[in-house]
Each structure stands twice: as structure tokens, then as C-alpha cells.
Amino acid sequence: MQRIGLFVTVGMGVGGAAFGQINTAALDAAAAEHGLMGMSVAAQCPGGPVATYHMGWRDFGRELPVNDATRYRVASVSKAVTALGCAVLVEEGLLGWDEDVSEVLGYTLRHPGHPDVAITPRLLMSHRAGLRDGSGYSPFLTATYTGAPDVPNLAELVVPGGAEYTADMWGGQAPGAWFQYANVNFGVVATVMEAAAGERFDQLMQDRVFAPLGLTCSFNVQLLPDIDDVAVLYRNQGGWVAQTDHYLGTYPPAPDLSGYTPGTNGLFFAPQGGLRASAVDLVRLYDVLADGGGLVAPATAEALRAEVWSANGANGNDYYGLFSSWGLGIHRANTGPDDALFSGFGPLVGHPGEAYGLISDAYLEPTSGWRFAFLTNGAWSGYPLGSTAWYAVEEAVFAALAADLAGCAASAVPSVSPLPTAAHPVLAPNPARPGTPLLLGSSPAAGLLHFARPDGATAATSADGTVPDLAPGLYLVSAPGLPAPTRLVVAPER
């Protein structure tokens, strides 16, 4: 192991709360023991700042250090973020969890052995539709990524008789009867999202999720503000060898998508694993998973987290004990000894990731609202398993964060968003755009509305009950009749 520097920043809790207790010494030790190229860790308790830890290099050859802006290709954590975007479309009425996706795609998608069973977003997102990453998946993925401007249609892979179809793309069990984790499920989900919204997957995620939250993460590296922020992913192959995202300060050529039709093949934008995001981005995205984050209703966030499948020993592949419970695009961990993260707590919800030398984790503890993200872009000797189904380095990170979770849970920091009840009305619609008239409960908002940024700084006021001319993002709104400031997401204008 060589040339690994250490760069650490830790934000503390507020108001005397007992969080902000990331064990940096333990993270230092984990980085040294496992020979990590670089690492980012972020954690947050609701009401407190994001605590961050960074070490090592995002670009080894150019000696660029990891920092808050470092964005990694987060692998399968992308699936949980794709699920957030799908939830927004469900709230918009463009999709339904239990609707037949064939009606949106424009062709019939069915399990060839069970043609009477409709394939739905719920089945796809819980890996129970029957699809597999069969022998045709990898060649099709390569053809997809290199095919622009002639991106192949996803139907060629998943529909019998397609040019890239192989018989092992579907399992033997009926949809709903068996859990089998498969990347292709989220290729179908993204394609369905495109067809429903009439917009490319990368663009709809920007418009409906990232921009409203004020985030610069993206499924399209061309949309990132600085290509030098992207972490190179490495493996030791007789020395550090870049595996992907080795851009050397230059954006890759933009693909020609002028002829691409949304709803053709969402795999092009890698919804299953291609999000570039920082640890801080992931922690902030989990506002949506926690309580809707102003993007969706709390009940919709709860639907994402809720268990729709649990392993019983005869109903699916549990991935060596790691996958024992699942929601809608959301892994439910900490359910038993094999998938344990933190003792003394119930299920945590989120997703793990692994690809090209990277390991990633992002999880939320729903009761306290505490959440964390962990990202590393390579380990000198690879990733040995620990005492559970997690890798040893993951277990070390979990141990370093245990006190932070415990402190957050004990502090019980309240959310700034009141619950939508008759006694405590909230502003609607949410999200809204500049010029949108706001309702307080069922009545037009009246009086002076005060819009503040999340840090408390005044952004604008409005005296006519409409959203002022504000940049897309998250704001705290105070208004006559509101019992407390409430969160409002300002969406980009169309």
C-alpha cells in the first residue's frame, strides 16, 4: 500500500445532542487495515448537520484528494435512488405500483411460462417478477452502452423472440413466488418510467428529484459541474489499475441521443448502478426515504420502506443471508445475525453496492431518522468477508458509526416538517414551481409568506400567496396559519 493520504472533516451535532460521534480513529484503522484507495463516510441525525469523514485519493495518478464534493459511481445504491424517482411518478399519477407495465411500454412483457400474470412495478422493484440476469444480459448491456445513436430496444432482451433474448432471462417460478436479485429489473423500471413521463431517465431524475433537492448528483456525467470531482475506481492488479471513470479532467464525448425515444431502453443511463453521487448527496437523498423530503407524501415513503418480501428458506435466493427482507427497490437490513449492521435496532432500509473495485452502502434507521453513507473506490487486497454476510471493511465502518446512531436515537431530534393533520395543515402543492398559488389546507395561503433556505437564511417573501421566483431546491416556509416552518420543494420550470 502506498501514497494514501488522510483527509478528515467531522461535523458535530447541535444543541448539546449526543450525536456527531463518528469514531474517526476506527475509520483510520479500517482504511489502513484494508488498504483503501479512498473513502467517504457521511452521517446525519434529523435537525443536525451532516458529519463527514474523507481519506485518500479520488484520482491516484494526479493525487487529487477525496473531499465533500467527491462523487463516486455508487453501483447498486443507484437502485434505491431510482426507486425514489419512481415514487414521484406514482404520486404524479403517471404510474401505479400494481399496474401492468405492458400498458405503458407499448408491448407485452410476460413471463413466458406464466403469461397470465401481469408484470408490475411492485414485482420488478422487489425482484419478484421472474426476470434474471441471464446469459444475454451482459452482451446486451455492452451493446446498449456503445450503441448510440442506435440504442437497442430493451424488448430485444426481455421478450421471447427478441434478437438478444436467451431462455435463462426468466426463472422457472411464477412472478411473485420467488426473490432473485437481478439488475435487469431496474432496466425495465427505468424504461417504464421513461415511457410514462415521456422523458429520458437521466433528465427526469434531474427534473423531479435532484434539482428540487438542490443536488448535483446525476445519472449522466455530462451534467456534473466538475468532471474532476468524479472518483476513479481502482483494483490492485499488480499495482493500482483504474477500472472506470478515469477521465483525467476531461468530460467523455457526449453520446448522440438525438434520435433516442424515451421508453426504448432506460438501461443506457445505468439506473441499476450508474449514479454518480457523494456521500453527502446520498444522505440528503434519504430525506425522501425518511419522510418524503417534500417530494412525496410520507405515506409514499413508507410504502417504499415497507416489507413486501421476506426470506423463509424456500422463496428466494437470499444472497448468502444478506438479502432477507425487501421493500420497493429498498433493501431491509439488520433483520438477523447474517445481515446485522447495528445491534439493538430494528430494520435499516437502503441499499448496498459493489462494482469496479468500489464498495458502497447507504441506509436509514426509520425510527430516529438517522442515516449514513459509506463509499470506497478500491482496496489493495480486495474485500474479505467479515463475521456476517457483510465485508469486513463494512463491519468496521458500521462499528465506527454505532455511537452516532445511538446518540441520535437517544436525542430524538424532531423533524422540521409538521405532519399533515387537520390541526397542523401544510402547504400544497409540494413540489411547486415559481408562480404556483399555494394552499394552506384547503384554502389559499394568505398574508406574508417567508421563504428561507435550509440554513435559515432568507431567500424571498411573497404577499400574494404564490411561490416567488426562486431557484429549484428545498425551502422552509413560514406563513400565517402554519404552526411551524414547513418544507417546500421548488421544482424547475418547464
Side-chain angles (χ1 to χ4, degrees), residues 72-77 183 232-235 243-244 272-274 352-360 376-378 383 391:
Y72 302 73
R73 188 185 189 278
V74 301
S76 288
V77 175
N183 289 292
V232 186
L233 306 187
Y234 295 93
R235 288 192 174 104
Q243 305 296 301
T244 193
Q272 78 287 4
E354 178 179 5
Y356 302 109
L358 168 135
I359 292 291
S360 58
T376 180
N377 60 337
Y383 298 103
Y391 292 119

Side-chain angles (χ1 to χ4, degrees), residues 202-218 284-285 295 431 470-475 489-493:
D202 61 327
Q203 294 172 332
L204 74 86
M205 291 297 293
Q206 293 293 138
D207 292 347
R208 288 171 162 85
V209 181
F210 304 144
L213 293 176
L215 301 178
T216 52
C217 50
S218 183
R284 292 185 59 196
L285 278 163
L295 285 179
L470 290 168
L474 184 64
Y475 296 87
V489 173
V490 175
E493 295 189 74

Side-chain angles (χ1 to χ4, degrees), residues 37-39 57-64 66 70-73 227-235 240-249 276 355-358 376-379:
M37 168 61 75
M39 172 167 61
W57 307 106
R58 68 184 190 271
D59 186 317
F60 174 66
R62 295 190 294 155
E63 296 190 356
L64 300 180
V66 174
T70 300
R71 288 178 167 81
Y72 302 73
R73 188 185 189 278
I227 196 66
D228 274 337
D229 287 339
V230 178
V232 186
L233 306 187
Y234 295 93
R235 288 192 174 104
W240 289 116
V241 178
Q243 305 296 301
T244 193
D245 285 1
H246 195 205
Y247 295 121
L248 296 174
R276 274 74 172 186
Y356 302 109
L358 168 135
T376 180
N377 60 337

